[in-house]
Amino acid sequence: MKNIYSIVIIALLLVSCGGDKKNSTENILESNSLETIRKKRGELVNEQQAIHDQIKLLDEKIKTLDTTQNVPLITTFTAKAEKFEHVLDLQGNVTTKNLLTITPEYNGILTRVYVKEGQRVKKGQLLAKIDDGGLSQQVAQLKIQSELAKTTFERQKRLWDQNIGSEIQYLQAKSTYESQQEAVSQLQQQIAKTAVKAPFSGTIDDVITEQGSVVAAGQTPLMRIVNLDEMYIEVEVPESYISNVVKGKKVEVEIPVLGKTIETKIRQASDFINPANRTFKAEIEVANKDKDIKPNLTARLKINDYTSDNAILIPQSVISENADGEQYVYVVTDKNAKGIGTVKRIIIVTGKTQGDIIEVLKNLEPGAEIVKEGARSVKDGQSVEVISYKEKGNE
């Protein structure tokens, strides 16, 4: 390179010093001779053309000797195999199966409420009482009649066992006794409905109807009971993930309001696809030892739906697409010690994405040096200079 620049300088000096003082431009101008001036101008034009031609020849020689002339500058990273865990981002709601608004089974006046809001109760505990409307008195009368029918039946049975009396008398006494027993049992079942009991252990979240109010069976809400021990998150998953979102899959649950993140699993995935929105339901179990997770809280879910132990991952920004819809990247080959190499276009097949990262499934091997910065400006077969070699993990 030094020799080339020396040749250029010497040529320019020879040209600039080629005329003696006698024929200098200043002397010609002082002569005031039009013919002499025109002649000198022609000579200078010829010299200018000669210099231009020499410079052109020198430039062409420089191009053949200097391989860094007009070579694009790029950066690269190395493709390598690593573990890839793709996650599906969804949003769900916290709920529990032990959340119930209790309604009465009997019509009448709510005579007593035995619990208060926030009170812990056990399964089967008496919560409230409804006036039975005189059923207790009816049961007392029926019990008296039932005792009489029982005595009559027992006497008739003893006679029948001794072959005394008719079979009809025995059967009538037995039927009367059994009918009385059934009537007492039915009334007792009706009276039992006037007692409102806890269906499961939990906390009284709200007392809705006050003592003394008239209530209707199956309609009037009396109180709400909740158990926060067995919480879960219900989420609707797109049908395209039905083979990957299954029971036992790992899930990362984030509850933004609480600033809490929980590692858990899917405990149930439905086999039914909702035709209205083409989704299926999944339940994710949630431990709630601190009792701070409440029903209807919003939860963000990251479900691990795909894992590869030897995935080739690259930024989506380095991928281009041709007219046929094929995706490709450029890799550097035949790189020398000065960082000069040749780019080669590789058609690739991609898989799942995670943010700006995408998995390459075919045609890219670990160790390939992929063009990063400058990937949009290079062409297949072009020489390039790698100015900053970066490993993928140090980007």
Side-chain angles (χ1 to χ4, degrees), residues 204-222:
I204 301 301
D205 186 60
D206 187 17
V207 177
I208 302 171
T209 303
E210 297 297 329
Q211 187 171 294
S213 302
V214 177
V215 298
Q219 298 181 14
T220 306
L222 300 180

Side-chain angles (χ1 to χ4, degrees), residues 19-223:
D20 56 16
K21 187 174 182 182
K22 183 178 179 181
N23 294 322
S24 67
T25 303
E26 291 81 359
N27 293 335
I28 297 299
L29 291 174
E30 291 176 358
S31 68
N32 289 325
S33 170
L34 178 61
E35 181 180 352
T36 303
I37 292 173
R38 283 179 174 173
K39 182 180 177 181
K40 183 62 176 178
R41 183 183 183 282
E43 291 174 357
L44 292 175
V45 169
N46 291 335
E47 291 175 1
Q48 181 183 28
Q49 183 62 45
I51 292 173
H52 181 271
D53 292 342
Q54 292 178 50
I55 292 174
K56 184 177 180 181
L57 291 172
L58 292 171
D59 286 341
E60 291 176 354
K61 188 63 177 178
I62 289 172
K63 287 182 180 180
T64 61
L65 297 177
D66 187 2
T67 57
T68 62
Q69 180 78 3
N70 296 324
V71 173
L73 305 178
I74 63 166
T75 63
T76 62
F77 66 91
T78 300
K80 58 182 179 181
E82 56 187 294
K83 187 174 183 179
F84 177 46
E85 292 187 344
H86 181 269
V87 294
L88 174 64
D89 291 317
L90 296 172
Q91 181 171 300
N93 290 322
V94 178
T95 187
T96 175
K97 295 186 185 298
N98 292 333
L99 173 62
L100 181 66
T101 298
I102 300 174
T103 58
E105 296 183 85
Y106 194 79
N107 297 320
I109 299 173
L110 187 64
T111 56
R112 292 292 303 273
V113 176
Y114 298 104
V115 293
K116 298 179 181 179
E117 293 177 1
Q119 181 177 336
R120 291 281 300 175
V121 296
K122 295 182 178 181
K123 182 178 180 180
Q125 181 177 331
L126 183 63
L127 306 179
K129 189 74 171 65
I130 301 170
D131 182 59
D132 60 20
L135 289 182
S136 299
Q137 291 81 358
Q138 293 181 40
V139 168
Q141 293 175 2
L142 284 176
K143 283 184 176 180
I144 294 173
Q145 295 175 11
S146 178
E147 287 297 324
L148 177 60
K150 179 181 179 182
T151 301
T152 303
F153 169 66
E154 289 175 347
R155 289 179 178 178
Q156 192 65 44
K157 185 177 183 304
R158 286 196 297 270
L159 292 173
W160 177 249
D161 291 340
Q162 298 174 15
N163 295 323
I164 300 174
S166 66
E167 183 180 4
I168 293 298
Q169 290 175 324
Y170 166 73
L171 293 176
Q172 285 178 341
K174 180 180 179 182
S175 176
T176 301
Y177 172 53
E178 291 175 348
S179 297
Q180 291 296 326
Q181 282 186 313
E182 183 65 25
V184 170
S185 176
Q186 289 180 357
L187 278 180
Q188 287 176 332
Q189 290 176 12
Q190 290 295 315
I191 292 174
K193 292 180 180 180
T194 66
V196 180
K197 296 183 178 181
F200 51 80
S201 298
T203 303
I204 301 301
D205 186 60
D206 187 17
V207 177
I208 302 171
T209 303
E210 297 297 329
Q211 187 171 294
S213 302
V214 177
V215 298
Q219 298 181 14
T220 306
L222 300 180
M223 58 192 69

Side-chain angles (χ1 to χ4, degrees), residues 354-372:
Q354 194 70 60
D356 183 49
I357 300 299
I358 189 167
E359 181 186 14
V360 179
L361 301 177
K362 292 183 180 180
N363 302 336
L364 197 61
E365 297 296 329
E369 189 174 344
I370 303 170
V371 178
K372 186 183 179 185

Side-chain angles (χ1 to χ4, degrees), residues 182-322:
E182 183 65 25
V184 170
S185 176
Q186 289 180 357
L187 278 180
Q188 287 176 332
Q189 290 176 12
Q190 290 295 315
I191 292 174
K193 292 180 180 180
T194 66
V196 180
K197 296 183 178 181
F200 51 80
S201 298
T203 303
I204 301 301
D205 186 60
D206 187 17
V207 177
I208 302 171
T209 303
E210 297 297 329
Q211 187 171 294
S213 302
V214 177
V215 298
Q219 298 181 14
T220 306
L222 300 180
M223 58 192 69
R224 184 167 54 248
I225 182 173
V226 61
N227 188 324
L228 300 181
D229 293 334
E230 299 179 8
M231 306 295 290
Y232 69 97
I233 297 170
E234 189 173 74
V235 61
E236 293 185 344
V237 185
E239 64 176 346
S240 57
Y241 296 96
I242 194 166
S243 60
N244 295 324
V245 179
V246 295
K247 181 179 178 180
K249 278 283 186 178
K250 292 191 300 182
V251 183
E252 181 182 290
V253 176
E254 179 188 359
I255 303 178
V257 173
L258 302 177
K260 176 178 284 190
T261 301
I262 303 169
E263 297 289 339
T264 182
K265 296 180 180 180
I266 297 176
R267 75 177 187 186
Q268 181 181 346
S270 174
D271 294 324
F272 173 75
I273 303 297
N274 186 341
N277 57 11
R278 311 307 304 174
T279 63
F280 65 95
K281 288 185 178 181
E283 292 182 4
I284 294 90
E285 59 186 15
V286 179
N288 193 22
K289 295 180 180 179
D290 299 331
K291 304 295 187 297
D292 55 348
I293 301 176
K294 312 295 184 183
N296 299 317
L297 281 177
T298 298
R300 295 174 182 170
L301 310 175
K302 292 184 178 180
I303 303 175
N304 173 222
D305 66 317
Y306 169 77
T307 299
S308 175
D309 292 326
N310 294 290
I312 304 295
L313 305 178
I314 64 173
Q316 295 188 63
S317 57
V318 304
I319 300 177
S320 300
E321 190 172 298
N322 61 23

Side-chain angles (χ1 to χ4, degrees), residues 72-76 332 343 371 373-375 377-378 384-388:
L73 305 178
I74 63 166
T75 63
T76 62
V332 176
V343 294
V371 178
E373 296 178 14
S377 59
V378 298
V384 294
E385 180 182 355
V386 181
I387 59 171
S388 179

